[in-house]
Amino acid sequence: MSRFLALALLLWTCLAQAQAGTVISTRRDSVSVTVYRQPGRAKGAIDRDWPGGYALVTETRTVDLPQGESVVRFEGVAEGLMPETAVLSGLPGGVREKNRDARLLSPAGLVDAYLKRRVTLRRTDRQTGKVTDQDAIISAGPTGGVIVQTAAGYEALGCSGLPERMLYAEAPADLSPRPTLSVIATADRATRATLQLTYLAEGFDWAANYVADMRQDGRTIDLMAWLTVANGGVTGFSDARLNVIAGQPNKARRGPQPRPTGGALRLTCWPMDITSTHPRWRLTPVDRPPPLMMAAQEIMVTARRNGGAMALAAPAPPPPPPPPPPPEDVGDLKLYRVPFSVDVAANGQKQVALLRQSDVKVERLYAATIGHDANDGESQPMTLRLRLQNRKQDGLGLAMPSGRVAIFEQVDGMRLLAGEADIGDKAEGERVDYDIASSADVRIAVRRLAESGKRRQWAITLSNARPFDVTAEVTIPHNVDPRPADMERRGNGWIWRVTIPANGKADFSFAERLRP
């Protein structure tokens, strides 16, 4: 008998080792999130519903592996995880298979899992108010609403106007409470392993938001930039090492990946009668009591000096966060590191300081570009432009990622918004232009004087209604003949730069050589 028991125990041990156990990892030891901007988005706001960028996530986790084959489930990975990019290191026997469990345990996920299956519908009777349970079959859902089939026919869930809900017999085994990546691994013996999981995930994005405060001298600004990081998924990352990449890396286009089924139900009902359906109906007016009038009375305010200890002084403000380190080169891209751990919350945005530069030199000028069809001589407003030179001697001299800038000026002690502008990525040494507003006081008029088969004559008049001199820049996208020696060639155009006197004008005429 003892020999039979020993043989049975040995057989059970072998079978237990052959069968795959399940190891669930729910906690990260550490995590790093590096966010890349949405490809092709040089300006504009981040998509709040589902950001169009992506992130490189590196997680470190500790798991206890049994002997033999086991299924390791990494719960709480990013919702937009791309399973083909997942790399797992640290397993003694490597990885044989990996799967992304995309179905989430949620109201919408339960409806999707129980489609064409029986549930219990708990609802309130309209006449008696009694709560009753009845059998129902989910016929359609969860997108656009839920249709259930009961003994009375087909109905739309949530359209009775009274409380009702569905009860399920059990939670489906294939629904996960959080986004999960599972792998099948093997180990020669039971061991504790420290694993590193690295993957790309969609649903992230970042942007730079600049704030420029004009000094009283009108020649310098204080420039501040906020790094805004968006996470559109249901998974948050606490105490994360956060980095962002500026630039546009070459990334192959990928078809749209369906988001995991989850979230709340969005029930849609057929429109019901409202007051505008029957315009002849009138609502009975409601008589409201007149407001109480406060009787005129004398109000006396008294005060008494406290002879005790003087009031405590306000506490000192907290120290500012450490300045961000300078960007690092990643090929031709720029890497910005946040110098402290942050929480990248689920379905949220995080802002941290990106740069602070004081006393940055700025030039105020007015700009315009001549259109190819401008010939009527009608006066048009010019654009107020603030120009920065991204050089160390001018107070900058650093890589500036694309984003939006808000310019503020002080007027009689009030900080007022002067305008906003979008800029692209700017390297050190480049010119940075902020086009913030149209000016009604500084205007441009362009006239076509004459034209022959080979040449066309133009005349430009700039007017300044302001009580001080201003600098203007006009881009001429024509083939000026003869080639001007005192103008800057910028791109495909010539730059006419001139100072317009106060309450005065400036004129310029040129000939355009027509192409045969």
Side-chain angles (χ1 to χ4, degrees), residues 70 122 171 181 207 229 313 355 372 445 469 504:
S70 60
R122 176 169 293 175
L181 177 73
V229 176
L355 64 86
H372 291 277
D469 298 350

Side-chain angles (χ1 to χ4, degrees), residues 433-445:
D433 288 339
Y434 299 150
D435 293 342
I436 60 176
S438 296
S439 173
D441 295 332
V442 183
R443 307 180 70 87
I444 179 174

Side-chain angles (χ1 to χ4, degrees), residues 171-194:
D174 60 343
L175 291 187
S176 302
R178 297 188 295 171
T180 301
L181 177 73
S182 61
V183 301
I184 298 178
T186 57
D188 296 336
R189 57 184 176 84
T191 182
R192 171 168 290 185
T194 299

Side-chain angles (χ1 to χ4, degrees), residues 22-26 61 63 70-77 101 103 173-183:
T22 300
V23 178
I24 300 178
S25 172
T26 60
R61 304 193 184 205
V63 298
S70 60
V71 176
V72 184
R73 292 174 56 84
F74 297 95
E75 292 188 353
V77 296
D101 302 333
R103 307 184 71 189
D174 60 343
L175 291 187
S176 302
R178 297 188 295 171
T180 301
L181 177 73
S182 61
V183 301

Side-chain angles (χ1 to χ4, degrees), residues 32-47:
S32 171
V33 180
T34 302
V35 183
Y36 294 74
R37 280 185 306 205
Q38 176 180 345
R41 186 182 67 82
K43 60 182 180 179
I46 297 174
D47 188 345

Side-chain angles (χ1 to χ4, degrees), residues 45-290:
I46 297 174
D47 188 345
R48 293 179 178 270
D49 294 332
W50 187 245
Y54 55 99
L56 177 66
V57 182
T58 300
E59 303 180 8
T60 301
R61 304 193 184 205
T62 301
V63 298
D64 292 321
L65 298 174
Q67 183 180 2
E69 188 176 86
S70 60
V71 176
V72 184
R73 292 174 56 84
F74 297 95
E75 292 188 353
V77 296
E79 179 181 351
L81 178 144
M82 308 178 197
E84 69 275 15
T85 66
V87 176
L88 184 62
S89 59
L91 285 173
V95 177
R96 185 169 65 84
E97 181 181 316
K98 58 183 178 180
N99 300 280
R100 173 177 177 261
D101 302 333
R103 307 184 71 189
L104 297 182
L105 183 62
S106 65
L110 283 170
V111 170
D112 182 70
Y114 270 84
L115 195 61
K116 306 300 181 182
R117 295 173 61 185
R118 190 174 300 275
V119 296
T120 300
L121 183 62
R122 176 169 293 175
R123 63 196 319 174
T124 304
D125 186 89
R126 282 181 174 272
Q127 297 179 352
T128 64
K130 181 181 178 181
V131 177
T132 59
D133 293 343
Q134 60 184 126
D135 292 336
I137 297 176
I138 300 178
S139 298
T143 304
V146 178
I147 304 298
V148 296
Q149 180 184 2
T150 65
Y154 289 92
E155 305 177 43
L157 182 67
C159 296
S160 65
L162 297 174
E164 56 186 7
R165 59 176 178 164
M166 291 187 298
L167 304 178
Y168 305 88
E170 60 181 358
D174 60 343
L175 291 187
S176 302
R178 297 188 295 171
T180 301
L181 177 73
S182 61
V183 301
I184 298 178
T186 57
D188 296 336
R189 57 184 176 84
T191 182
R192 171 168 290 185
T194 299
L195 310 180
Q196 187 176 77
L197 175 63
T198 302
Y199 56 87
L200 290 176
E202 297 176 334
F204 294 83
D205 206 351
W206 75 274
N209 298 98
Y210 297 87
V211 179
D213 282 289
M214 181 71 69
R215 292 286 188 92
Q216 292 292 339
D217 58 9
R219 298 179 179 178
T220 56
I221 61 173
D222 293 334
L223 189 62
M224 165 82 178
W226 289 100
L227 170 64
T228 303
V229 176
N231 175 12
V234 298
T235 302
F237 301 89
S238 59
D239 293 328
R241 299 187 303 274
L242 180 61
N243 315 295
V244 298
I245 293 287
Q248 293 292 337
N250 185 19
K251 182 177 181 295
R253 293 184 61 87
R254 185 173 183 268
Q257 177 179 339
R259 295 184 63 180
T261 56
L265 285 174
R266 293 177 173 84
L267 303 178
T268 304
C269 300
W270 187 261
M272 305 177 74
D273 276 352
I274 55 178
T275 54
S276 59
T277 308
H278 307 279
R280 289 184 294 179
W281 291 1
R282 294 292 183 263
L283 297 178
T284 304
V286 178
D287 294 331
R288 295 184 179 180

Side-chain angles (χ1 to χ4, degrees), residues 259-435:
R259 295 184 63 180
T261 56
L265 285 174
R266 293 177 173 84
L267 303 178
T268 304
C269 300
W270 187 261
M272 305 177 74
D273 276 352
I274 55 178
T275 54
S276 59
T277 308
H278 307 279
R280 289 184 294 179
W281 291 1
R282 294 292 183 263
L283 297 178
T284 304
V286 178
D287 294 331
R288 295 184 179 180
L292 297 176
M293 301 298 293
M294 295 183 61
Q297 55 182 332
E298 182 180 357
I299 300 176
M300 180 178 295
V301 179
T302 61
R304 180 175 64 89
R305 167 172 286 182
N306 189 350
M310 297 183 61
L312 295 177
E328 305 171 36
D329 291 332
V330 182
D332 287 343
L333 307 175
K334 295 294 182 181
L335 169 67
Y336 294 85
R337 298 181 186 268
V338 177
F340 47 87
S341 298
V342 300
D343 293 339
V344 183
N347 296 309
Q349 295 187 357
K350 166 71 69 176
Q351 280 193 320
V352 294
L354 181 63
L355 64 86
R356 294 187 188 91
Q357 298 293 123
S358 300
D359 297 328
V360 179
K361 294 181 181 179
V362 64
E363 180 188 12
R364 187 189 299 262
L365 53 90
Y366 295 84
T369 300
I370 298 177
H372 291 277
D373 56 349
N375 59 2
D376 55 3
E378 183 180 357
S379 176
Q380 300 289 337
M382 298 187 71
T383 299
L384 173 60
R385 175 176 292 173
L386 297 182
R387 173 166 295 168
L388 288 67
Q389 299 293 340
N390 193 4
R391 302 176 298 201
K392 285 184 170 59
Q393 59 266 33
D394 288 344
L396 279 178
L398 45 82
M400 300 176 64
S402 65
R404 173 165 294 183
V405 60
I407 297 97
F408 293 87
E409 294 194 23
Q410 293 285 339
V411 179
D412 294 334
M414 294 186 299
R415 184 171 179 259
L416 300 177
L417 177 66
E420 292 183 331
D422 293 315
I423 63 168
D425 293 323
K426 297 296 181 180
E428 182 179 353
E430 282 194 274
R431 181 185 66 254
V432 183
D433 288 339
Y434 299 150
D435 293 342

